[in-house]
Amino acid sequence: MASARVMTTNTTTSSFFSRGSFLGFNHNHIESHFNTVIFKRKAPLSKRSLFSCRAIHNPQELLTKEEGQFETLDYRVFFHDNSGKKVSPWHDIPLHLGDGIFNFIVEIPKQSSAKMEVATDEAHTPIKQDTKKGKLRYYPYNINWNYGLFPQTWEDPSLANSEVEGALGDNDPVDVVEIGDARGKIGEIVKVKPLAALAMIDEGELDWKIVAISLDDPRASLVNDVDDVEKHFPGTLTAIRDWFRDYKIPDGKPANKFGLGNKAVNKDYALKVITETNESWAKLVKRSVPSGELSLL
């Protein structure tokens, strides 16, 4: 019988949903799909609207529950609200918290190698370890930063990005590389601010890497854009690019490529990526675009 452990993850989602005027929601723009309500934000970010949902029902905190043993095929980390109802870390956690702050969900803690990811094709999209040919996947070496996703984002595989060699989206939420000092935990929700973006092209698919920092990091106040990262975290942007460029080489695959001049672009561009992929997610959950095998629960 699968073992289970319960972990408490503190978050601020209750304040996000408890005030109807927060972020300037326009309640004349409500579209309902099953149990998800989409709100259109009046005040634009990067001159575009952001979308969110209210499926969490104002929890004070979220609980993460592990099922199965870590590093087995059965291992899952599910998210629950205070009533015990399962919620999706991809769909049901708000992306934007206002003032340029976003929720980041840790999938892979820094200094670990098990390739954990949100199971986008399973109900409630728990976190699991990725597999290939029925075997658990690992990076060939530890990743040096906390790695995970922005909720309520999606890289649409039908959209070709004219700025990045016409590459199509990779059909996943947007990836985040968090560069702070603290080591995260699987399923932890961290408030971050974006700093830069790398346009990785993985076997022809566009796989954005947003570089961000936890607000709790001692150096968070010092870094607000790509140039600050180089100043206060020297060599980090190059190290991130090189890590993701080379990690498949030990398995006999070619190095990944990067668009946009093979370097990290600034915060404004990162915000543009976040906004566009949030819009794609909104279309996905409203079934304006085909979902294929993706779970919308």
Side-chain angles (χ1 to χ4, degrees):
M1 186 174 182
S3 62
R5 289 182 287 168
V6 176
M7 303 176 287
T8 301
T9 302
N10 293 324
T11 186
T12 59
T13 50
S14 60
S15 63
F16 182 88
F17 294 119
S18 62
R19 298 194 297 272
S21 61
F22 190 81
L23 288 181
F25 282 136
N26 184 344
H27 290 266
N28 293 321
H29 292 82
I30 300 177
E31 297 187 49
S32 181
H33 174 70
F34 296 111
N35 294 322
T36 301
V37 181
I38 308 298
F39 292 87
K40 188 170 183 178
R41 180 177 179 263
K42 280 184 179 178
L45 176 71
S46 296
K47 301 180 182 179
R48 303 281 281 278
S49 296
L50 283 173
F51 297 82
S52 194
C53 72
R54 296 187 60 174
I56 293 180
H57 305 298
N58 302 331
Q60 296 298 316
E61 59 185 15
L62 294 177
L63 300 175
T64 53
K65 182 178 180 182
E66 293 178 301
E67 298 185 4
Q69 296 294 327
F70 183 56
E71 295 185 280
T72 69
L73 294 173
D74 295 329
Y75 180 76
R76 299 289 186 277
V77 176
F78 284 97
F79 289 66
H80 298 253
D81 66 16
N82 281 350
S83 71
K85 177 184 175 181
K86 287 181 178 177
V87 298
S88 165
W90 181 18
H91 302 308
D92 295 331
I93 293 173
L95 167 64
H96 193 224
L97 295 171
D99 297 325
I101 306 305
F102 296 80
N103 278 323
F104 156 62
I105 301 168
V106 179
E107 294 170 305
I108 306 173
K110 64 191 301 184
Q111 304 308 326
S112 63
S113 64
K115 194 175 185 304
M116 311 302 296
E117 63 179 19
V118 163
T120 58
D121 59 348
E122 296 184 11
H124 309 295
T125 65
I127 295 175
K128 68 170 186 178
Q129 189 167 351
D130 191 19
T131 60
K132 184 175 182 179
K133 297 181 179 179
K135 295 183 178 181
L136 297 172
R137 291 188 66 188
Y138 293 85
Y139 291 124
Y141 31 72
N142 286 349
I143 190 167
N144 301 315
W145 312 273
N146 294 311
Y147 187 50
L149 74 143
F150 275 140
Q152 300 186 345
T153 60
W154 178 55
E155 298 191 48
D156 187 342
S158 70
L159 291 180
N161 191 308
S162 60
E163 297 177 357
V164 189
E165 302 182 20
L168 301 173
D170 72 348
N171 203 32
D172 282 326
V174 170
D175 294 329
V176 181
V177 184
E178 194 278 312
I179 63 174
D181 293 336
R183 186 176 190 266
K185 299 178 181 178
I186 296 174
E188 183 177 1
I189 302 169
V190 181
K191 298 177 188 177
V192 301
K193 56 181 179 180
L195 304 170
L198 285 158
M200 190 175 93
I201 303 172
D202 182 355
E203 298 182 18
E205 294 180 336
L206 180 55
D207 188 1
W208 287 106
K209 308 298 179 189
I210 304 297
V211 179
I213 190 167
S214 168
L215 293 190
D216 293 331
D217 190 82
R219 288 178 281 180
S221 63
L222 302 176
V223 287
N224 295 289
D225 213 324
V226 63
D227 292 337
D228 299 328
V229 179
E230 192 58 40
K231 180 179 179 180
H232 296 284
F233 295 80
T236 294
L237 293 173
T238 298
I240 292 171
R241 183 200 61 195
D242 292 354
W243 195 98
F244 283 100
R245 181 192 64 196
D246 298 340
Y247 79 90
K248 291 186 175 181
I249 293 176
D251 292 333
K253 292 187 176 181
N256 289 319
K257 299 191 301 178
F258 288 85
L260 303 177
N262 199 39
K263 62 183 181 179
V265 292
N266 65 16
K267 177 180 180 176
D268 284 346
Y269 203 106
L271 293 175
K272 173 178 174 285
V273 170
I274 295 167
T275 303
E276 289 175 349
T277 55
N278 173 250
E279 291 172 353
S280 292
W281 168 83
K283 293 175 182 177
L284 175 70
V285 296
K286 290 185 290 182
R287 296 186 184 273
S288 298
V289 295
S291 60
E293 296 181 357
L294 298 175
S295 173
L296 302 184
L297 295 178

